[in-house]
Amino acid sequence: MKVYKPEWQCTFSVNEGVEESANWKERIAWRIREFADKLDGGGRTIKIDCNVTPEVSREDVDTCLEKGFALSQSLLTQLAHQAACEDVMRDAKAELFEQAPQR
């Protein structure tokens, strides 16, 4: 009896800037991205490299990325909410946040 073994691989990397080992084309591309960020007046450019074997459709990859960014927004919103609550508590009950002397 033949045993079938599925094989797959997924590599995913996110870069916010040029790597030291980058060639001249990559360095120029990052300079252009930096310039575009300055023109836009904010924001942040990231480069996503995603390699999946066996190949999946570009549409499926895009859907996954959209869901990932939606989850990131939700997590950041929760962190902002927690920080806002802590700021209010620090203002209202500063004594709760005082550091006890260490022995």
Side-chain angles (χ1 to χ4, degrees), residues 72-87:
S72 295
Q73 180 184 7
S74 174
L75 293 171
L76 288 168
T77 300
Q78 288 177 20
L79 285 174
H81 180 239
Q82 291 170 359
C85 291
E86 186 175 319
D87 287 348

Side-chain angles (χ1 to χ4, degrees), residues 12-61:
F12 188 87
S13 65
V14 178
N15 296 311
E16 290 188 271
V18 66
E19 296 176 1
E20 287 186 29
S21 61
N23 63 33
W24 66 272
K25 289 180 185 179
E26 292 169 327
R27 291 182 187 283
I28 290 174
W30 276 107
R31 294 270 186 203
I32 293 170
R33 290 181 186 108
E34 290 170 3
F35 182 66
D37 284 345
K38 288 178 184 176
L39 286 176
D40 286 342
R44 200 165 162 176
T45 296
I46 58 173
K47 181 176 180 264
I48 299 172
D49 290 318
C50 180
N51 298 304
V52 181
T53 310
E55 190 172 329
V56 297
S57 72
R58 174 72 184 249
E59 184 178 288
D60 287 341
V61 171

